[in-house]
Amino acid sequence: MDGRNCWRRGVLLLLTAVMLTACHEKNTHHVLNIGLAEEPRTLNVWLASDANSRKVLSLIYQPLYVYDPDTLDLVPWLAESMPVYDAQTLSYSVTLREARWSDDTPFTSRDVAFTGSLIQSFKVPRYASDWDFIKRIETPDSRTVRFYLKQPMAAFLTGTLSTPIVQEKEWADFAEKAQTTEKPLTALVNHRMQHPVGTGPFTLEQWRRGAFLHLKRNPHFFGIGKTIGGRTLGPFVDDLVYTVFGTSDVAILALIKGDIDMLWWPIQPGYMADLSRRKEIRLFTNEKSALYFMGFNLRRPPFNDMALRRAVAYMIDKKFIVSRILQGQGTKMFSVVPEENRFWCCTDLPRYGDGMSRENRLKAAYQVLVDAGYSWAVPPVDAAGNLQAAREIRLPGGQPMKRFTILTPPADYDPHRATSGLMIQEWLRELGMPAYARPMAFSSMLEQIKGHHDFDAFILGYGHLGLDPDYVRNLFHSANDKSRGWNMSGYRNSAFDEMADRSISEMDPVKRQALVMEMQKLIARDLPYIPLYKPSVVEAVRRDRFEGWVEMLEGIGNIWSMCQVKPVSSDGA
Amino acid sequence: MTPALLEVNNLSIGYRTAGGIAMAVDDVSFRVDRGGSLGLVGESGCGKTTIGMALMGLLAPNATIVSGQARFEGEDLIAVSGERMRQIRWRRISMIFQAAMNALNPVHRVQDQISEAIITHEPDLSGHAVAHRTRSLFDLVKIPESRLQDYPHQFSGGMRQRVIIAMALACNPSLIIADEPTTALDVIVQNQILSAIGTFQKEMNLGMIFISHDLAVVADVCTHIGVMYAGRMVEYGSRQEVLDCPGHPYTRMLVGSLLTLSDQPADLSGIFVTNGENGAAATGGCPLNLICPDATVVCRREQAGWVDLTGTHRVRCPYAGKGR
Amino acid sequence: MGLKRFVLRRLVEIAVIFFVIMTVLFVLFRLAPGDPVSRMVDPSMTPEDARLLMESMGLDQPLWTQYLYYLKNVATGNMGVSFHYGEPVIDILMNRLPNTVLLFTTSILLSALLGVFLGKIAAWKRGQRTDTLLTIGALFCHTLFLPWLALIMIWFFAYRVGWFPITGMVSPDVWIDPGAGWLAKALDVLHHMALPLMTLILIHFGSYLLVMRSSMLDTLKDDYIITARAKGLEEKTIRDHHAAPNAALPVVTSVGLSLAFSINGGALTETVFTWPGIGRELVFSVSHSDYPLAQAAFLIIAIVVLVANLVVDVLYAYLDPRIRY
């Protein structure tokens, strides 16, 4: 074989390939190219618990109500107006909009009732808890749905009404069959959806696994040309193409090169300096409904002592964490409810050490500990009030404090939490505490904290908190203090439990708000968790391709943006 | 006298070493006639294989021909170009390798290895003709044709040597250099191979250089014998002359040991052992002077020149033929 | 024949090893901390939800029941349903496998060819400048850090020069165009493959070169090379026809095994180039405790490696006629 000839042929082939691809005609459609960090998990809405599947499915399956991007109030979506409450019968009536499914069949109240009964009968995780208090669903006519509640439940408005509605025609046969199997839920979530039928602005065109996912504009979308929530809806793009990028480095290159128009995932602070210098790139910084916190094991010493936890709170310099570790891309937190959740967040809380100098923090913490009976071999503050290197803190009983660990996720999983752990370790050592930060593989860490309750302190975070504050109850209710329960700290406070139980069934938002505020105050006093920070969401888009992005809590990747972005060129023409 | 097939004159070959050039072959001359066969005898390392390799142009890269000529069919093998030498190889001078060597490539069928030589030198030959010749070569060395498709490792040592002989004959060369062709074979196989070589050589009127450490083997097949010691040829003559009246003390030892095996009790007084000086030709004095029973002061001081005993029998020893 | 018996014996061995691997895999994954549900730390999910999910995945069963179920699954060739994707594991793996095989098999074969070719030349020119350059070049490339090299390649060839796409395996705009024929699609894949291929070859050819070079140097000392020279063969023929085939034998073994291991892909390569192959899926399934997917992926790799070992042994016997079983 002639080696040179072979080479030449290879080079020729490559060149042809390059040219063909380069010469490939751009179609006249407006295609919005979106970069994703991970492959969507599934098109089965009942299995889709991951963020990436939801980025696709949220444009296909629609709920009755959505949140307004500015006020975070409920806005009628598939519903025509706000629900009408009848206290007598404990029922809500919802009037539906005139809408059609993407297969051009009408959307009716039966679809809503079917979705509810499906969730209830299969006990679909993540949704079932929003529906198990619904006693009965009536459909007096094709445009009206009436929900009868077993008991007053606050989650109805925020949870139940935000559930994506599926088409009865598409799911009924399958659901019936699945019910006859040994494990109906397994059969349901493992049902393979090829072409989900929805009411949203886009429909699935094709999904080439591992390569891209292509959505097309849904001509039957109910919102086309309408003004909802004060916004005129499109969509104004013909196609959405999602492409997956294995690392953020290459995704950013693709964005700069123009292969994609938007990165639908937060950018690390390290890329911001470069991107903000580029004219063609626009950055959006938005708040996140998130909670990153330090948690304690209240079931065993030393952190079963509230005074010690409070001293720790004094020592943690949240400003330092946000400005240095997060490089400014985040906010300090003082409540377990994010501040952007304006209605529910309590701002009237103690802000331990906030704004204090290091010296004052140390002195404040020292005072808290001294008052609680702690002593030292060498105290951090000497008789004259000067700071000194503390040694060997002793518990109120006089015995020396045993070494304790602060578990954090490893640096490759989340550098911010790992570094924060190290900083907190250093700050606590200033008080003479034998603190040791220990990064641990994420699943091992959860196993140890949630499964075995075998830990002293830890740093974890919830990246996506719902807007409804029912998680405050979940996280601290004594009923959840069990293996794998949400109450990882083992916080037990009957006053809190009582308020929490009342809060979930309080239908009056104002009264419920008061309860949730009180609950936050209890947590801020007792400090089972010390809220630390929440990172901001920084997203990048190309300025020269599309405009009209709608900023919201969690960023620009939302249904509003997708219904409103317009191609830049067509606007100018 | 007809012109010699190969005439080697004053050939000296050295190996470049860190300490300068070490002579491996020093001033060797001989001739081989068509149909004649010269046996080069000497212990291993005496330079005889180096001569063979020099004639094939296959010296190791660190070897260098210091002086001399090798006229073969009108050309000086020492002076021809590399490309010309490549054409001469096998076509006109071929080689039978030591039986102990892996002279055959293990991954190719023997047939291919033989026809390869033919195709290289006679590119115009049809595939059919090549196959035909390969088959007849196998006939010649008495190996069944069915084994042409076999790989070298499937043959016994003797068979393998026959294949190599067949290969050496493949291009009808006029000179064959056989380098220890029977060493490492058992005595019976050795005899078969030797007689086969002898037969072809005579029948095809080939010139042959037969290199061996074993005088008995050389005595069986060669018309002429050259005895080498430490890079020098010390005696050269016809088979009869060398065997019947060895002139050089070293030759006498070799002949003596040859006879003891068959006829008389050994006369061990004449046997001497070399002292490791072998390999590189000594610069001053006769290389044998330390061990030769007949050595004199002169032997220690200077190289002996040739002493012609007859017109064809020469010895490098001042005392040769002096009736001692 | 001997070969037949050898193959039979090896097949039995493979079956036993396979069973052991299967069991070890099961135990290992169950011993590893965490479960697929514990990762879902979303506080809106109730413990009841978590229990239901565990149940739907069959993880509420005692271990030995799970094990028997797993054995039954493997025996019937049904490897179960992925916890993460909710689809049969086989479908997922069969979707990813061709991509991995395409990229890695091609890269190994090309690296080996290049390595053998250059190694041959290096040995032939031993001690000369060509040899020095090739050997140093090979060592240098071999020690490059793959993700770094991959990024540099992407940055330069895809971003700066723009010859190749940045990552991925296809361009959506070609594939969503109904007018694009199979040729355009095939070329599109080739176009995407070029960069990862170049990167892999750059990293891997060096080891083949070094193996080939040293093997070739040994071979050149062999007697049959002298024979070949004596036969008056051209130098090129001697190098390519007599020395190289013998010298390439060790390379064949290493290529065979590399090919087998190539089906696990390279998690790093596949991640940086966003190549939708098995390697990424493997890492993903392990980190997400997707037991069925991880088990099946490892089992497939085990089978391929075991069988490939056998194939290499048999192949070796064909290439080197001296070896017979």
Side-chain angles (χ1 to χ4, degrees):
Chain A
M1 194 176 68
D2 189 347
R4 269 172 61 206
N5 203 358
C6 188
W7 263 115
R8 215 173 292 157
R9 216 174 295 164
V11 170
L12 207 69
L13 195 71
L14 272 181
L15 279 179
T16 326
V18 173
M19 267 152 53
L20 270 173
T21 322
C23 296
H24 188 80
E25 222 179 292
K26 283 263 181 242
N27 44 27
T28 49
H29 287 279
H30 295 295
V31 183
L32 173 60
N33 287 295
I34 298 172
L36 290 185
E38 238 176 51
E39 178 96 352
R41 178 178 174 182
T42 176
L43 290 176
N44 182 329
V45 68
W46 307 123
L47 178 67
S49 63
D50 64 311
N52 292 295
S53 304
R54 271 180 276 156
K55 285 168 189 171
V56 174
L57 291 174
S58 68
L59 302 182
I60 297 175
Y61 293 110
Q62 301 306 311
L64 296 174
Y65 294 85
V66 294
Y67 289 102
D68 182 274
D70 301 324
T71 62
L72 296 181
D73 292 333
L74 282 181
V75 173
W77 191 248
L78 270 175
E80 199 169 49
S81 50
M82 291 310 286
V84 178
Y85 180 51
D86 177 15
Q88 207 90 62
T89 55
L90 205 59
S91 73
Y92 278 97
S93 293
V94 175
T95 311
L96 303 179
R97 213 181 268 282
E98 183 101 46
R100 300 189 86 76
W101 293 98
S102 53
D103 64 357
D104 205 15
T105 56
F107 162 74
T108 70
S109 54
R110 284 183 54 87
D111 293 314
V112 180
F114 172 77
T115 304
S117 69
L118 184 138
I119 291 173
Q120 287 181 329
S121 57
F122 285 92
K123 290 193 167 53
V124 180
R126 314 171 55 81
Y127 296 107
S129 58
D130 286 338
W131 287 81
D132 59 7
F133 48 81
I134 307 279
K135 192 161 59 186
R136 194 168 82 246
I137 305 170
E138 276 178 8
T139 53
D141 64 63
S142 70
R143 300 269 303 274
T144 312
V145 189
R146 196 163 294 141
F147 300 90
Y148 291 89
L149 274 58
K150 288 179 192 159
Q151 74 258 16
M153 210 59 176
F156 177 75
L157 289 174
T158 50
T160 317
L161 293 182
S162 308
T163 306
I165 306 299
V166 300
Q167 188 190 30
E168 180 178 21
K169 183 178 138 211
E170 187 183 35
W171 286 90
D173 288 347
F174 176 73
E176 201 177 310
K177 220 184 299 160
Q179 282 294 6
T180 63
T181 60
E182 202 182 323
K183 288 181 176 174
L185 178 62
T186 312
L188 179 77
V189 297
N190 290 348
H191 178 51
R192 190 166 188 173
M193 286 302 296
Q194 303 278 23
H195 289 282
V197 175
T199 49
F202 293 93
T203 59
L204 181 83
E205 180 69 15
Q206 65 166 326
W207 182 14
R208 292 198 63 81
R209 277 293 174 88
F212 64 88
L213 192 146
H214 176 199
L215 295 185
K216 249 187 153 45
R217 188 169 183 267
N218 174 11
H220 306 294
F221 174 48
F222 63 86
I224 296 178
K226 285 209 179 69
T227 302
I228 298 178
R231 293 163 187 275
T232 309
L233 304 183
F236 307 106
V237 292
D238 302 289
D239 301 87
L240 294 185
V241 175
Y242 296 79
T243 319
V244 177
F245 289 90
T247 64
S248 16
D249 292 316
V250 293
I252 300 238
L253 282 184
L255 181 75
I256 298 173
K257 200 181 161 211
D259 289 0
I260 49 175
D261 308 313
M262 173 215 190
L263 270 180
W264 197 337
W265 87 83
I267 293 172
Q268 294 289 314
Y271 296 110
M272 287 189 55
D274 176 41
L275 286 176
S276 57
R277 268 199 305 273
R278 293 179 183 271
K279 276 204 312 288
E280 69 276 22
I281 304 293
R282 181 167 174 201
L283 294 177
F284 292 94
T285 305
N286 282 288
E287 295 305 325
K288 203 172 168 181
S289 179
L291 166 66
Y292 288 75
F293 60 93
M294 179 173 188
F296 300 100
N297 194 347
L298 272 54
R299 304 173 191 88
R300 69 188 199 193
F303 291 112
N304 53 0
D305 181 7
M306 192 213 295
L308 183 64
R309 301 197 294 272
R310 195 168 293 169
V312 171
Y314 272 112
M315 292 308 293
I316 296 176
D317 187 347
K318 296 175 192 173
K319 186 167 162 243
F320 180 93
I321 292 178
V322 168
S323 63
R324 305 296 283 278
I325 299 177
L326 298 182
Q327 296 176 43
Q329 301 305 313
T331 346
K332 299 179 280 189
M333 283 183 87
F334 296 96
S335 170
V336 289
V337 178
E339 213 169 327
E340 287 62 36
N341 203 347
R342 271 165 250 152
F343 188 74
W344 300 112
C345 175
C346 176
T347 48
D348 176 26
L349 294 176
R351 303 183 157 216
Y352 304 101
D354 192 38
M356 282 190 193
S357 67
R358 283 240 54 74
E359 186 176 345
N360 289 342
R361 283 174 183 280
L362 196 56
K363 283 180 176 164
Y366 173 67
Q367 199 54 52
V368 169
L369 292 174
V370 168
D371 292 348
Y374 288 80
S375 57
W376 286 263
V378 178
V381 180
D382 66 15
N386 296 319
L387 299 190
Q388 56 186 12
R391 270 201 309 116
E392 212 179 298
I393 188 169
R394 298 196 191 107
L395 301 181
Q399 62 275 45
M401 186 183 284
K402 287 198 195 109
R403 57 179 288 169
F404 62 86
T405 50
I406 306 166
L407 298 177
T408 69
D412 58 346
Y413 180 89
D414 181 359
H416 301 154
R417 274 178 268 175
T419 318
S420 302
L422 282 173
M423 283 316 302
I424 292 174
Q425 163 195 305
E426 289 310 308
W427 290 329
L428 297 188
R429 284 185 182 181
E430 288 176 25
L431 278 176
M433 293 188 199
Y436 291 86
R438 184 171 162 214
M440 190 183 249
F442 193 67
S443 43
S444 315
M445 183 180 167
L446 284 182
E447 183 84 359
Q448 211 157 336
I449 296 170
K450 274 183 94 170
H452 305 314
H453 294 165
D454 176 21
F455 66 97
D456 299 308
F458 62 91
I459 298 179
L460 273 179
Y462 293 116
H464 297 279
L465 287 176
L467 288 178
D468 191 275
D470 60 348
Y471 56 82
V472 179
R473 173 186 182 273
N474 282 347
L475 292 179
F476 303 109
H477 198 286
S478 61
N480 287 344
D481 175 17
K482 55 189 180 192
S483 178
R484 294 180 184 280
W486 294 116
N487 187 347
M488 297 185 272
S489 277
Y491 178 65
R492 284 170 178 274
N493 180 338
S494 51
F496 178 89
D497 289 354
E498 188 262 335
M499 273 191 269
D501 291 337
R502 264 168 49 207
S503 82
I504 57 163
S505 55
E506 179 54 64
M507 299 306 286
D508 180 344
V510 178
K511 286 187 190 153
R512 186 173 178 220
Q513 184 189 37
L515 284 168
V516 172
M517 299 278 174
E518 275 314 302
M519 286 156 69
Q520 292 175 60
K521 282 182 184 155
L522 282 180
I523 298 304
R525 187 194 73 189
D526 296 344
L527 291 173
Y529 287 0
I530 299 175
L532 297 176
Y533 64 87
K534 64 185 163 52
S536 310
V537 188
V538 179
E539 288 157 301
V541 300
R542 285 194 70 89
R543 213 183 271 278
D544 53 350
R545 295 271 296 137
F546 293 91
E547 61 188 9
W549 301 96
V550 179
E551 294 189 72
M552 193 174 168
L553 191 66
E554 302 280 338
I556 55 169
N558 55 57
I559 183 106
W560 296 103
S561 280
M562 295 306 160
C563 286
Q564 290 208 276
V565 286
K566 291 189 172 96
V568 167
S569 48
S570 75
D571 218 28
Chain B
M1 196 173 167
T2 52
L5 176 67
L6 170 74
E7 193 168 353
V8 173
N9 291 317
N10 313 103
L11 184 64
S12 295
I13 303 167
Y15 287 96
R16 281 187 294 273
T17 64
I21 289 179
M23 297 303 288
V25 173
D26 190 6
D27 197 24
V28 169
S29 307
F30 58 84
R31 63 178 274 162
V32 180
D33 290 309
R34 211 172 285 277
S37 55
L38 168 70
L40 285 182
V41 195
E43 52 196 281
S44 50
C46 71
K48 53 195 196 303
T49 298
T50 306
I51 292 174
M53 288 302 182
L55 293 176
M56 293 294 285
L58 290 178
L59 286 172
N62 65 336
T64 175
I65 295 176
V66 179
S67 63
Q69 289 176 314
R71 299 208 70 82
F72 172 75
E73 294 184 335
E75 278 174 287
D76 183 1
L77 294 179
I78 308 299
V80 296
S81 71
E83 180 53 24
R84 175 71 193 135
M85 190 67 228
R86 191 183 67 72
Q87 289 164 3
I88 294 173
R89 273 183 219 141
W90 224 258
R91 179 74 188 87
R92 289 166 65 195
I93 309 177
S94 72
M95 210 163 174
I96 299 172
F97 292 94
Q98 292 186 18
M101 279 170 65
N102 289 315
L104 294 169
N105 192 326
V107 304
H108 296 304
R109 296 174 196 282
V110 292
Q111 177 180 34
D112 300 337
Q113 300 196 43
I114 294 174
S115 48
E116 179 184 45
I118 303 173
I119 295 165
T120 304
H121 293 289
E122 294 165 68
D124 299 335
L125 226 52
S126 72
H128 184 73
V130 172
H132 179 76
R133 186 178 312 163
T134 315
R135 274 201 301 279
S136 51
L137 284 167
F138 255 52
D139 266 357
L140 207 63
V141 294
K142 299 195 172 59
I143 301 177
E145 271 179 32
S146 58
R147 311 231 22 202
L148 276 170
Q149 295 294 325
D150 286 354
Y151 288 94
H153 70 276
Q154 290 166 297
F155 292 90
S156 68
M159 294 263 258
R160 208 148 43 212
Q161 207 54 7
R162 280 170 204 261
V163 172
I164 288 170
I165 292 169
M167 191 157 81
L169 299 173
C171 298
N172 294 317
S174 42
L175 176 68
I176 289 185
I177 301 170
D179 187 354
E180 306 270 13
T182 56
T183 315
L185 295 177
D186 67 65
V187 183
I188 294 171
V189 178
Q190 181 172 336
N191 282 337
Q192 290 171 350
I193 299 288
L194 284 180
S195 71
I197 293 178
T199 314
F200 301 132
Q201 190 252 327
K202 275 177 211 99
E203 278 178 6
M204 299 171 143
N205 200 30
L206 303 172
M208 181 163 77
I209 297 174
F210 194 104
I211 297 168
S212 178
H213 67 280
D214 187 351
L215 185 59
V217 170
V218 171
D220 270 359
V221 284
C222 295
T223 56
H224 289 77
I225 294 176
V227 180
M228 293 195 59
Y229 186 81
R232 289 211 181 89
M233 190 169 280
V234 293
E235 182 155 1
Y236 177 76
S238 72
R239 172 180 181 273
Q240 218 60 38
E241 288 166 335
V242 174
L243 290 181
D244 290 355
C245 33
H248 196 279
Y250 179 59
T251 317
R252 284 205 298 276
M253 301 306 143
L254 291 181
V255 174
S257 62
L258 176 70
L259 296 177
T260 44
L261 284 174
S262 45
D263 304 331
Q264 310 164 354
D267 172 14
L268 292 175
S269 67
I271 306 294
F272 52 78
V273 226
T274 52
N275 59 356
E277 209 180 336
N278 223 332
T283 40
C286 175
L288 275 171
N289 74 71
L290 290 177
I291 38 176
C292 177
D294 303 331
T296 63
V297 186
V298 186
C299 297
R300 252 164 240 133
R301 210 173 49 232
E302 60 193 42
Q303 290 264 16
W306 285 108
V307 175
D308 290 340
L309 295 182
T310 69
T312 52
H313 189 189
R314 295 178 293 164
V315 181
R316 239 191 230 267
C317 178
Y319 309 109
K322 299 268 169 69
R324 290 166 61 142
Chain C
M1 274 286 299
L3 187 62
K4 209 187 220 167
R5 264 192 36 210
F6 168 79
V7 171
L8 272 176
R9 205 185 68 221
R10 286 291 301 271
L11 282 177
V12 174
E13 277 174 31
I14 286 177
V16 174
I17 296 173
F18 181 73
F19 183 80
V20 173
I21 292 178
M22 203 165 76
T23 309
V24 168
L25 274 178
F26 179 86
V27 174
L28 270 185
F29 283 119
R30 299 308 191 279
L31 281 183
D35 58 62
V37 176
S38 70
R39 288 189 66 91
M40 305 175 184
V41 285
D42 181 344
S44 69
M45 216 168 85
T46 64
E48 167 69 3
D49 286 347
R51 195 190 59 75
L52 276 170
L53 273 180
M54 291 291 271
E55 195 187 302
S56 79
M57 294 167 183
L59 293 175
D60 55 330
Q61 304 287 319
L63 269 189
W64 64 268
T65 318
Q66 290 184 42
Y67 180 64
L68 286 181
Y69 188 69
Y70 165 64
L71 285 189
K72 191 190 110 196
N73 269 351
V74 174
T76 56
N78 158 17
M79 306 289 254
V81 174
S82 157
F83 293 161
H84 182 76
Y85 294 106
E87 282 177 35
V89 162
I90 282 295
D91 291 1
I92 296 164
L93 293 180
M94 285 306 139
N95 175 281
R96 304 293 198 270
L97 196 56
N99 303 339
T100 290
V101 168
L102 175 69
L103 175 61
F104 286 87
T105 311
T106 318
S107 84
I108 288 167
L109 290 179
L110 290 181
S111 321
L113 280 180
L114 186 68
V116 163
F117 178 73
L118 293 178
K120 189 175 77 179
I121 291 177
W124 197 251
K125 308 244 171 181
R126 177 184 196 173
Q128 300 177 22
R129 209 204 270 140
T130 322
D131 178 30
T132 317
L133 284 178
L134 282 174
T135 312
I136 291 178
L139 279 171
F140 175 75
C141 290
H142 190 60
T143 50
L144 287 175
F145 182 53
L146 195 142
W148 176 84
L149 177 68
L151 270 180
I152 294 288
M153 299 283 283
I154 292 172
W155 179 81
F156 185 75
F157 288 107
Y159 177 68
R160 288 311 293 263
V161 190
W163 288 352
F164 302 106
I166 283 187
T167 54
M169 194 178 164
V170 299
S171 314
D173 54 345
V174 174
W175 289 65
I176 66 178
D177 177 5
W182 66 268
L183 181 67
K185 291 179 179 177
L187 285 176
D188 183 50
V189 171
L190 276 183
H191 192 196
H192 281 79
M193 208 165 113
L195 263 191
L197 208 53
M198 275 158 62
T199 309
L200 287 171
I201 291 173
L202 218 49
I203 295 272
H204 293 306
F205 87 94
S207 61
Y208 294 116
L209 186 152
L210 296 177
V211 171
M212 181 64 185
R213 180 181 175 273
S214 73
S215 167
M216 183 88 170
L217 285 177
D218 284 346
T219 308
L220 287 178
K221 289 184 207 131
D222 282 346
D223 299 334
Y224 50 79
I225 298 299
I226 299 174
T227 314
R229 256 203 196 109
K231 285 202 282 193
L233 303 182
E234 305 248 13
E235 288 294 282
K236 218 177 137 220
T237 316
I238 298 171
R239 186 187 72 189
D240 296 347
H241 196 64
H242 285 268
N246 284 286
L249 286 174
V251 181
V252 169
T253 326
S254 87
V255 167
L257 290 180
S258 305
L259 280 179
F261 278 105
S262 79
I263 77 142
N264 71 18
L268 287 176
T269 318
E270 291 187 354
T271 302
V272 179
F273 286 104
T274 324
W275 193 260
I278 289 270
R280 279 174 73 200
E281 223 49 70
L282 204 77
V283 173
F284 183 86
S285 62
V286 172
S287 65
H288 283 68
S289 305
D290 192 343
Y291 304 146
L293 186 55
Q295 275 162 186
F298 279 112
L299 278 185
I300 288 182
I301 291 169
I303 294 175
V304 172
V305 172
L306 287 173
V307 172
N309 260 308
L310 177 63
V311 171
V312 167
D313 285 347
V314 173
L315 189 71
Y316 211 88
Y318 277 98
L319 288 176
D320 189 340
R322 283 168 295 187
I323 296 172
R324 284 290 175 262
Y325 298 104

